[in-house]
Amino acid sequence: MTSNREVCTPTASMQPGPPRHLPAPVAACPQHLEQAAGFGQWWYDPQTGVTHLSPTAAEYLEMPTRSANGLGACLGHVVEDDLPELIRLWTGAKLQRPLDIRVIGLARGLRWLRVTPLPTDPARPRWHHGLLQDVTALTHAAVRERLGYALTEYLIGTHTLEDAISNVIQLICRNLGWEWGAYWSMEDGGGRLHCRHFWHQPDARLEQFSAVSSTLKMAPGEGLVGRVWATGSAEWVEDMSTDPRFLRRGSAQMCGLWSGYVFPVTYVSDNGERHRPGVLEFYSSLARQPEAQLPKVSATIGALIAQTAQRLETEAVIHRLAQIDEMTELDNRAHFYAQLNRHCALSHRQGRRFALMFIDLDRFKPINDAFGHEAGNAVLQAFAQRLRELAPPPARVGRLGGDEFAVLVPDSGDEQALAALADAVLAAASRPISYEGVALTVSASIGVSRFPENGQTGPELLRSADAAMYRVKQNGRNGSNVFSTSSPDTLAQQRAKLAQRLSIETELHEALQAGQLRLVYQPIVDIATGALHGAEALIRWQKPDGTTVPPDVFIPIAEQSDLIVDIGRWVLGQALRDLASLKGGALEKLKVHVNMAASEFTSSALPEMLGAMSTGLEVPASQVVLELTEGMLMRQPEQVRRVMHQLREIGFEISLDDFGMGHSSLAMLKSLPISSLKIDRCFVRDLATGERDRAIAQTIVDLGRHLQLEVIAEGIESADQLEVLGQCGCAFGQGYLLGRPLPLPRLIESFPDGRSAADTPARVPTWTPPCPAPAVAAPPMPTAAAPCTRPLRLVRA
């Protein structure tokens, strides 16, 4: 192809009029008819080698004259690759179809012409004659279609924009005749544009220009590329060597590059924000003009690339949402498990160790119930942020669900560092979290397992860490525990216990749905008269195969999950239904005591729920006594007291269970809306022989009498215990001596008229004076630290 940069101007010889010695019919065809029809004519005399052109044909071939001696003189602007076939056709070779050729003009750029030979004129048999048609528009349309299809094919299947850009640049250069193309984008966090991808024609000596481009960085607004990126508008450069906007003038001149076109890749996202992924630039060694093909298709190219960028951005968001817990922005359960399994496989190949921390927040549910889910979310978010700060990458932090978190600690060969991290997590959990002016406090129970000692797969490590965490829960919470591997037997026992716990939790879910739970009632008896005063509802679980699961086995497991809430609601509902069934009978005034969980008594929705249940079943609220322990009261005293007052206002009675085992003060006790106290079985067990226990029992009875509260002693199993309690003035008792837990029909049979139908132990006379004071001074009231082990008696609803 020619590289002449001179712009040709038409001469007088190009004026309309047929060449000399042409046949009259052809010569008579006016130029305006040719232009209207979109074709020109050519004639070639093989004997003389002279070519004659019509005015339109001369214009198409950018010839200054209408006659030329030799083909080279009239075909000088034809692309070199197209010349051989064109010369064959021009000189008389018979082709099967018309020939399309490319002509590069200095003024009009690249155009496509179609050469069609015409039949031999009998009057001039030695002359070759044909037509020239300008098919540039048709070819451009076809190129756009092919280019659009190829671009779509490249861009739709790509997973990153950069993967497809090199192919896109090459495709544009080859199809539209550009010699060098590149894609510029912003550095990650650098604030400067740099040339990520470039391509040039293999036969072009453009390596120096490519090297300069790849090392150059531009700020937004700097240079031609920076200007296009900043403004979002395309720019045309007619002479790269003299344009002051172009920063690579020297290398462009050395490599022979002359003109170019630079355009942005932009799109607007759904939220109205404009995004600018990058800038495309293309250059040629010809003096290309703005009428060239690229500006016409740049909008299509930019739109396709922008659509791809937008799709990839959307896919990245979807991918992120699939991996990240939306509330805490930590790894979600599925992604954390996947990373844990991947880390197990990698550590196995590399012979590395790592640790897994399983973290469960203590006392989280009462916050949810008392202050709402927004408060709970605030606690989770604050704790998650603290975990991120304590365990930065390469550690991975995930939220497994609810208030459960996990931390993968790589290369944990340093046990002291691991212990220090566990202590830091405990401290982070215990720091108060402010929510709407209220300081919310939780603690954490942490279980730790290690690879490969405690498991070689993700599930094994999680089970081991969960088992270690469960031991912390059993030992009072707010601590950490490393899964023990002292011996294979110990490991097997630990895993067996964990498997049993998980199995029981699953079966308990099914039991609740399948109606396998039931209530039994332990009588509360008037010690002086033997009359039935009330009954305590106790839960039992009998499997379909007839085996019974003890409450002290399944209740702690239920308390570790949300099951305890569902079970508590079932107990309350069943107790109220049983009371409703007693209407018209001797026990229709029976009072039923129901133990409550801490989360229930901190829920502001409890009074409304219970009120609706008692109203719906037409059971007086005064027949339901809700029991809570001192420990429950002291966790959130203000919220608990508020709920207690609301319950009392609608008629429910409240009993303080296990009195003497907690930390409540007398000042608090006098302000509580309670109706009864229950003496813990720890003080009843040694009443017959222990003077201190007798003094404590006497003190509680006197306190109850002065506060006008009923006093109920628990765990009465011998006549001696019953006698001492009667002498101390305790009015009511509960225990195996007075009656074992019974299904409701059997309770009715045992107390047909409100009194026991069976022979009962000799009753102690009605109390008159208090029992003699012991010889030793009464000790201070014991706290929860007193050595006393009590079997679990009822559900903590």
Side-chain angles (χ1 to χ4, degrees):
M1 70 175 69
T2 180
S3 60
N4 181 16
R5 292 180 177 173
E6 294 295 329
V7 178
C8 296
T9 57
T11 65
S13 61
M14 294 181 67
Q15 297 304 312
R20 285 182 244 179
H21 312 300
L22 294 182
V26 174
C29 183
Q31 181 182 4
H32 69 274
L33 292 179
E34 285 189 344
Q35 291 177 338
F39 68 86
Q41 300 177 76
W42 57 270
W43 297 265
Y44 175 70
D45 184 351
Q47 288 185 352
T48 63
V50 175
T51 296
H52 302 279
L53 302 171
S54 71
T56 302
E59 181 183 348
Y60 284 168
L61 292 174
E62 304 226 3
M63 282 287 294
T65 63
R66 293 175 56 190
S67 297
N69 291 318
L71 295 178
C74 68
L75 304 179
H77 290 283
V78 177
V79 173
E80 187 176 352
D81 292 345
D82 297 343
L83 279 174
E85 286 294 310
L86 176 60
I87 292 173
R88 288 180 58 215
L89 181 148
W90 208 272
T91 57
K94 302 298 183 183
L95 300 180
Q96 297 295 324
R97 57 184 177 80
L99 177 66
D100 288 346
I101 63 171
R102 292 167 290 175
V103 174
I104 297 180
L106 299 179
R108 302 174 63 185
L110 178 70
R111 291 181 300 116
W112 291 81
L113 302 179
R114 180 163 294 167
V115 186
T116 306
L118 294 177
T120 302
D121 185 352
R124 300 288 187 270
R126 73 173 190 272
W127 286 31
H128 304 304
H129 178 211
L131 300 178
L132 284 176
Q133 291 175 279
D134 190 337
V135 293
T136 302
L138 293 174
T139 305
H140 282 179
V143 168
R144 284 196 296 269
E145 184 176 352
R146 291 198 307 272
L147 186 65
Y149 178 79
L151 283 171
T152 303
E153 200 171 37
Y154 278 133
L155 294 173
I156 285 182
T158 188
H159 295 293
T160 64
L161 191 61
E162 284 72 15
D163 288 345
I165 287 295
S166 292
N167 289 328
V168 169
I169 294 170
Q170 181 176 345
L171 188 70
I172 294 171
C173 287
R174 288 188 180 279
N175 279 272
L176 302 183
W178 296 89
E179 292 159 71
W180 194 91
Y183 176 73
W184 295 69
S185 60
M186 191 66 69
E187 286 182 316
D188 296 334
R192 298 174 70 83
L193 292 158
H194 69 119
C195 183
R196 288 185 181 270
H197 304 278
F198 61 85
W199 185 88
H200 59 77
Q201 297 284 357
D203 56 348
R205 297 179 179 273
L206 299 172
E207 289 82 2
Q208 183 181 2
F209 186 75
S210 298
V212 172
S213 299
S214 62
T215 57
L216 183 64
K217 295 184 179 180
M218 303 182 198
E222 183 182 4
L224 188 62
V225 172
R227 175 189 174 104
V228 169
W229 192 91
T231 63
S233 300
E235 296 277 356
W236 185 272
V237 53
E238 294 189 13
D239 190 342
M240 298 164 65
S241 63
T242 61
D243 194 324
R245 301 171 302 169
F246 194 74
L247 301 183
R248 293 160 283 169
R249 293 187 293 273
S251 59
Q253 188 172 21
M254 290 182 63
C255 294
L257 292 176
W258 184 262
S259 61
Y261 187 65
V262 186
F263 61 96
V265 175
T266 65
Y267 68 92
V268 178
S269 59
D270 294 339
N271 61 4
E273 183 179 356
R274 179 170 290 278
H275 297 263
R276 292 169 289 185
V279 172
L280 283 167
E281 60 175 356
F282 294 92
Y283 300 113
S284 172
S285 61
L286 300 174
R288 305 287 290 272
Q289 298 298 311
E291 290 77 16
Q293 173 72 338
L294 182 58
K296 299 176 183 178
V297 297
S298 62
T300 301
I301 295 168
L304 285 170
I305 296 176
Q307 287 172 8
T308 302
Q310 189 174 19
R311 172 179 64 82
L312 293 173
E313 182 184 75
T314 302
E315 289 178 354
V317 171
I318 294 172
H319 186 63
R320 182 178 181 275
L321 292 176
Q323 294 182 343
I324 301 300
D325 176 65
E326 185 176 0
M327 182 189 303
T328 63
E329 296 189 353
L330 302 177
D331 290 350
N332 61 21
R333 177 198 293 264
H335 187 53
F336 185 86
Y337 284 178
Q339 293 300 314
L340 177 59
N341 288 328
R342 186 190 67 81
H343 208 76
C344 286
L346 184 64
S347 298
H348 181 75
R349 290 195 302 269
Q350 298 177 348
R352 295 183 178 181
R353 303 174 70 238
F354 69 91
L356 175 68
M357 283 188 179
F358 189 94
I359 306 164
D360 185 90
L361 295 182
D362 307 322
R363 302 192 306 274
F364 173 73
K365 189 161 188 352
I367 290 176
N368 252 348
D369 295 335
F371 300 99
H373 289 287
E374 291 300 323
N377 293 347
V379 170
L380 294 175
Q381 290 165 349
F383 181 66
Q385 177 59 34
R386 294 172 185 178
L387 273 184
R388 272 195 299 268
E389 294 170 357
L390 290 172
R396 299 202 70 95
V397 184
R399 180 185 176 215
L400 305 187
D403 57 351
E404 293 179 344
F405 298 82
V407 180
L408 192 157
V409 188
D411 301 326
S412 62
D414 188 347
E415 295 299 325
Q416 291 183 347
L418 186 60
L421 178 59
D423 291 340
V425 172
L426 291 174
S430 62
R431 288 206 312 271
I433 297 166
S434 178
Y435 175 75
E436 295 185 352
V438 179
L440 304 177
T441 305
V442 295
S443 61
S445 297
I446 304 174
V448 181
S449 61
R450 293 166 296 196
F451 177 93
E453 296 92 333
N454 305 140
Q456 298 193 12
T457 66
E460 289 176 351
L461 289 170
L462 282 165
R463 285 196 295 269
S464 298
D466 189 28
M469 184 276 296
Y470 183 62
R471 286 200 299 275
V472 176
K473 293 280 190 185
Q474 288 180 317
N475 293 329
R477 309 186 181 193
N478 191 27
S480 63
N481 182 270
V482 178
F483 192 75
S484 173
T485 55
S486 56
S487 70
D489 290 341
T490 303
L491 182 62
Q493 291 173 6
Q494 291 172 341
R495 288 182 174 169
K497 288 181 180 179
L498 177 60
Q500 182 186 26
R501 183 173 74 84
L502 295 175
S503 175
I504 289 175
E505 183 176 337
T506 301
E507 292 178 355
L508 191 53
H509 270 285
E510 298 173 355
L512 189 60
Q513 299 297 324
Q516 298 174 16
L517 304 180
R518 60 189 179 90
L519 289 184
V520 294
Y521 295 90
Q522 185 170 32
I524 299 174
V525 176
D526 187 315
I527 292 178
T529 66
L532 182 65
H533 176 71
E536 184 172 3
L538 306 173
I539 192 169
R540 296 292 183 265
W541 175 15
Q542 187 171 26
K543 295 184 177 181
D545 60 4
T547 60
T548 299
V549 183
D552 57 352
V553 171
F554 71 83
I555 292 300
I557 294 174
E559 288 178 332
Q560 296 298 316
S561 67
D562 291 337
L563 271 177
I564 195 65
V565 176
D566 297 330
I567 291 174
R569 290 176 180 170
W570 179 85
V571 170
L572 283 168
Q574 187 60 47
L576 285 167
R577 287 189 291 272
D578 286 345
L579 281 174
S581 70
L582 296 176
K583 291 177 183 177
L587 301 185
E588 65 175 344
K589 302 296 184 182
L590 180 71
K591 288 186 177 182
V592 171
H593 289 236
V594 179
N595 276 280
M596 304 292 289
S599 58
E600 292 291 311
F601 254 107
T602 56
S603 172
S604 57
L606 179 64
E608 182 179 356
M609 182 192 73
L610 277 179
M613 291 172 66
S614 65
T615 301
L617 293 169
E618 298 182 350
V619 175
S622 58
Q623 286 186 245
V624 179
V625 184
L626 305 174
E627 295 189 358
L628 79 161
T629 64
E630 286 183 276
M632 292 162 52
L633 174 63
M634 294 306 296
R635 289 180 185 175
Q636 297 185 46
E638 294 302 321
Q639 176 66 12
V640 170
R641 277 191 292 183
R642 185 161 52 248
V643 174
M644 290 171 68
H645 281 286
Q646 293 172 353
L647 289 167
R648 288 291 284 159
E649 286 175 2
I650 58 178
F652 290 97
E653 293 191 6
I654 300 174
S655 178
L656 194 57
D657 194 13
D658 302 339
F659 185 74
M661 296 298 298
H663 302 272
S664 58
S665 66
L666 295 180
M668 178 181 287
L669 187 63
K670 72 177 183 179
S671 66
L672 295 177
I674 59 177
S675 55
S676 61
L677 300 173
K678 298 189 82 171
I679 302 175
D680 189 77
R681 65 181 62 241
C682 288
F683 307 125
V684 174
R685 184 177 55 220
D686 298 324
L687 273 179
T689 58
E691 293 182 349
R692 289 176 177 267
D693 289 327
R694 293 181 65 181
I696 292 172
Q698 182 67 66
T699 301
I700 296 174
V701 170
D702 292 343
L703 181 64
R705 184 175 73 254
H706 291 304
L707 294 178
Q708 298 181 344
L709 302 174
E710 293 180 352
V711 178
I712 304 169
E714 299 179 299
I716 302 173
E717 297 181 356
S718 70
D720 292 339
Q721 294 169 343
L722 183 64
E723 182 177 0
V724 173
L725 288 167
Q727 291 172 355
C728 290
C730 182
F732 306 104
Q734 177 183 350
Y736 280 180
L737 180 71
L738 302 175
R740 291 179 175 271
L742 300 170
L744 186 62
R746 289 192 55 194
L747 180 70
I748 297 172
E749 293 175 3
S750 299
F751 294 87
D753 57 355
R755 290 180 175 273
S756 175
D759 293 333
T760 58
R763 300 295 174 189
V764 177
T766 304
W767 177 87
T768 46
C771 54
V776 297
M781 294 186 66
T783 67
C788 177
T789 303
R790 298 179 288 107
L792 185 61
R793 296 169 295 98
L794 2 132
V795 61
R796 298 296 180 198

